[in-house]
Amino acid sequence: MILNKSSEKINNDFLIQKYIEGLLFYFENPSLINEDILVLKVKEIILLLSQTQNSESIQLILSQLFSPTTYTFKQIIEANLFSQLTIEELAQQNNLSVSSFKREFAKIYHDTPANYIKTKKLEKAAELLKVSNQRITEIAFDCGFNDLAGFTKSFTSKYNCSPTTYRQKLNGLD
């Protein structure tokens, strides 16, 4: 029985090591990461950790980590930057009225929610234009824009050129 426990621990350590090695691929290729892959990777590590000898302490840590009371204002904002949530929905997730939400947001980010979120979406789009070969339409939708025309207008306003021109300049094609 002791040998069985010992080999089980070695097997789990081996699996966790292989999991970590698998993650390195995504760190080396960040443009390949999407929300579905992240969810699967989180589920995978939770399953691996729950099968270790320390499963009781792992379960305690996970229950504290994923307790709704531990999410901070900033964590909720950052987790929803590229979603289609409205200001009202973000306020509700933070258990605040819209006016209280806007005050708290301004205090933390020194900007309005709409401007900050739009800026972050455009920065992500610029990064994706730099590192991926995705179509511009796909990038716009991945970054939380509802339509290509609105994305192009906002991008051009921030970067003084269209997304296509921006990508061409980065690739030395201008």
Side-chain angles (χ1 to χ4, degrees):
M1 190 68 162
I2 294 173
L3 279 175
N4 190 16
K5 287 272 188 197
S6 174
S7 66
E8 184 179 312
K9 182 183 184 311
I10 290 168
N11 187 34
N12 284 329
D13 288 346
F14 176 77
L15 290 174
I16 291 170
Q17 179 62 38
K18 289 297 174 192
Y19 168 84
I20 292 168
E21 289 172 10
L23 281 183
L24 293 176
F25 172 79
Y26 293 106
F27 280 100
E28 293 165 359
N29 301 286
S31 62
L32 299 177
I33 297 173
N34 63 37
E35 190 173 336
D36 293 335
I37 291 174
L38 288 174
V39 168
L40 286 173
K41 286 298 183 185
V42 168
K43 287 179 180 178
E44 186 178 0
I45 193 62
I46 289 171
L47 283 171
L48 287 171
L49 291 172
S50 69
Q51 295 171 6
T52 65
Q53 289 179 337
N54 301 323
S55 63
E56 284 181 31
S57 55
I58 297 293
Q59 288 172 354
L60 177 64
I61 291 168
L62 289 173
S63 69
Q64 292 170 347
L65 184 63
F66 292 106
S67 164
T69 58
T70 62
Y71 287 121
T72 66
F73 186 91
K74 280 184 98 167
Q75 287 171 323
I76 291 171
I77 300 305
E78 301 302 319
N80 292 290
L81 271 177
F82 306 106
S83 73
Q84 298 293 331
L85 289 183
T86 64
I87 300 300
E88 291 77 13
E89 291 167 324
L90 284 171
Q92 187 177 26
Q93 284 199 6
N94 280 286
N95 297 316
L96 295 170
S97 69
V98 173
S99 57
S100 295
F101 173 80
K102 288 180 177 179
R103 276 193 304 276
E104 184 68 15
F105 195 98
K107 188 166 52 171
I108 292 172
Y109 292 100
H110 309 291
D111 203 349
T112 65
N115 191 52
Y116 178 83
I117 291 169
K118 184 168 141 183
T119 299
K120 288 298 180 187
K121 287 178 179 184
L122 290 169
E123 287 171 359
K124 179 182 179 186
E127 183 62 26
L128 287 173
L129 287 166
K130 196 183 307 182
V131 300
S132 82
N133 291 322
Q134 270 185 295
R135 291 178 38 233
I136 291 172
T137 306
E138 290 175 41
I139 290 173
F141 289 120
D142 285 352
C143 294
F145 288 90
N146 292 324
D147 66 285
L148 185 59
F151 166 69
T152 302
K153 182 179 177 186
S154 295
F155 192 93
T156 302
S157 175
K158 178 169 177 57
Y159 292 98
N160 298 317
C161 63
S162 71
T164 304
T165 305
Y166 184 85
R167 179 178 267 168
Q168 289 171 342
K169 284 181 181 179
L170 289 172
N171 294 323
L173 301 174
D174 58 336

